[in-house]
Amino acid sequence: MSSSVTSRPTALYGGQAGRRVTVRDVAAAKERGERWPMVTAYDAMTAKVFDEAGIPVLLVGDSAAMVVYGHDSTLPVTVDDLLPLTAAVVRGSSRAMVVADLPFGSYQASPQQALETAARFMKEGGAHAVKLEGGRRVLPQVEALVSAGIPVMAHLGLTPQSVNTFGGYRVQGRGQAGDELMSDAKDLEYAGAFAVVLECVPAELAERVTRSLSIPTVGIGAGPSTDAQVLVWQDLMGLTPHPAKFVKKYFDLAGEMDRAVRAFADEVVGGAFPSAEHSYH
């Protein structure tokens, strides 16, 4: 007599699947009501740390423009800037799904442009999905990418690539704009997006959008009711001098780095480093 054993689903955060997280895993987590974290990554070493910590989705964000390249907005970063960072994060991780941001100017012109850019991130960068900003104006791009087999994470609310249109980094989705955002979210789901980031929107609106969609929502400054939360890793580790209101600092990495490099410098100046222990004989 044979018996079958029904395996329990692997938790999205911290689970040991022995393979990459996929869009199906993300969808299943939504069905289970399971919340999960997403963190940015831009190099192999930090990607390895976050991957081994169980973070299921790593975002190679266009925030690299600021935290890696030193710009004051996301606008200047290019495809060629982000491709090597994406490849590094893929090489440094083994389980996490790696999502690559499509930078400003690389997809807005047409679905064909979006497809060509996304294909580079998949082929040259090894990304498993891409993220782009906007609502109804990018629906043709989303449809084209999904039809070509490229998973798409959407992004609504405060879309940093449109900061000049917004007149600064402001909360989005209040009043009638909330209804428009809800409509955009539903349209993006229908177009095939597997998830949607909600940035800097009122918590009540984010909760309504999350309840209305069958795909997961990823919040950043969108309150506690989204399916997932994302932060730039330099923000949560305390490297950013003046973080946004929605950022919680989990560690004073800037302070620890300052203390370590000063200790090194003092030992070099005083002749204590390198000692015999750190010299070859």
Side-chain angles (χ1 to χ4, degrees):
M1 181 177 179
S2 62
S3 61
S4 59
V5 178
T6 302
S7 60
R8 297 180 61 185
T10 300
L12 198 59
Y13 164 58
Q16 300 298 319
R19 58 169 176 78
R20 290 282 184 179
V21 170
T22 69
V23 294
R24 292 185 63 183
D25 298 314
V26 172
K30 170 83 172 186
E31 293 176 2
R32 296 194 298 268
E34 178 186 331
R35 295 182 178 181
W36 48 275
M38 180 166 81
V39 179
T40 63
Y42 314 96
D43 67 88
M45 294 185 74
T46 52
K48 187 176 190 297
V49 171
F50 300 153
D51 189 62
E52 292 182 350
I55 302 299
V57 183
L58 296 176
L59 173 65
V60 186
D62 58 2
S63 47
M66 295 173 283
V67 299
V68 175
Y69 293 111
H71 298 293
D72 60 4
S73 77
T74 65
L75 299 181
V77 78
T78 67
V79 172
D80 288 337
D81 289 334
L82 293 183
L83 275 173
L85 306 188
T86 302
V89 170
V90 171
R91 288 192 294 266
S93 59
S94 61
R95 177 179 180 265
M97 174 197 296
V98 178
V99 180
D101 254 337
L102 301 188
F104 177 71
S106 71
Y107 63 92
Q108 288 92 342
S110 68
Q112 181 63 30
Q113 184 197 32
L115 181 56
E116 291 172 357
T117 301
R120 289 193 66 191
F121 276 101
M122 304 293 280
K123 291 168 67 68
E124 300 174 42
H128 312 116
V130 299
K131 183 172 76 65
L132 50 74
E133 297 180 3
R136 60 181 60 89
R137 63 183 172 81
V138 297
L139 291 178
Q141 283 89 330
V142 174
E143 291 171 349
L145 296 184
V146 174
S147 295
I150 300 174
V152 176
M153 177 178 285
H155 187 152
L156 293 172
L158 173 58
T159 47
Q161 292 176 11
S162 302
V163 64
N164 291 324
T165 301
F166 294 147
Y169 296 95
R170 303 171 182 272
V171 174
Q172 303 295 312
R174 289 181 172 140
Q176 182 180 348
D179 295 331
E180 295 173 1
L181 188 147
M182 174 70 79
S183 177
D184 281 347
K186 291 180 177 179
D187 287 344
L188 287 163
E189 177 182 21
Y190 185 76
F194 76 91
V196 57
V197 173
L198 302 176
E199 181 169 358
C200 287
V201 302
E204 182 273 335
L205 173 61
E207 182 177 9
R208 286 197 291 119
V209 173
T210 301
R211 288 200 312 264
S212 299
L213 300 183
S214 61
I215 60 174
T217 56
V218 182
I220 177 166
S225 298
T226 53
D227 299 297
Q229 298 286 337
V230 61
L231 284 177
V232 172
W233 82 258
Q234 289 90 341
D235 287 349
L236 73 90
M237 294 290 183
L239 279 178
T240 307
H242 305 289
K245 176 184 178 179
F246 57 76
V247 172
K248 179 176 179 179
K249 188 171 85 170
Y250 287 85
F251 188 66
D252 181 21
L253 183 57
E256 292 298 317
M257 291 176 70
D258 179 79
R259 283 186 282 275
V261 77
R262 287 176 185 271
F264 163 70
D266 288 344
E267 289 195 359
V268 170
V269 172
F273 180 84
S275 63
E277 179 186 356
H278 299 101
S279 301
Y280 294 104
H281 301 285

